[in-house]
Amino acid sequence: MVNDVLELESDKIIARIRAEFADELDQTKEQLEEAREETAKTKEIIRQLRAGKEIVEVADELQISTDKVNEIAELLK
């Protein structure tokens, strides 16, 4: 009887821990996907700037702020 109660309690604890880590894992996956998208966008900005496009052209084409493109352009100098 005591063993059954302990086993049930430990199962509840394990389930709670799994749920907590599942939430954290989902958040981490979302953050990773956002970082991948940001990296891809940054690579495209760099590619276009190196190809000779103007900051305004790149910003318009990628639908982002000129400040963001300008920031990357400054880093490329």
Side-chain angles (χ1 to χ4, degrees):
M1 177 74 171
V2 172
N3 285 338
D4 291 341
V5 171
L6 290 175
E7 189 174 326
L8 181 60
E9 285 302 312
S10 67
D11 287 348
K12 287 180 184 178
I13 292 169
I14 291 169
R16 198 167 54 225
I17 291 169
R18 283 185 178 149
E20 183 178 323
F21 282 116
D23 289 344
E24 289 181 20
L25 181 60
D26 286 343
Q27 289 175 348
T28 302
K29 285 179 181 178
E30 288 174 18
Q31 291 170 344
L32 180 58
E33 184 57 34
E34 289 171 9
R36 283 181 179 147
E37 290 171 5
E38 188 65 26
T39 299
K41 192 175 282 187
T42 301
K43 285 180 179 180
E44 181 59 21
I45 291 168
I46 292 168
R47 188 189 69 72
Q48 289 191 24
L49 289 172
R50 286 186 174 158
K53 285 194 175 181
E54 296 294 320
I55 290 172
V56 175
E57 290 178 285
V58 176
D60 286 346
E61 185 174 321
L62 298 176
Q63 298 179 344
I64 56 175
S65 74
T66 54
D67 290 341
K68 175 71 175 171
V69 178
N70 192 43
E71 179 183 326
I72 293 169
E74 288 295 318
L75 293 172
L76 292 174
K77 290 182 180 179

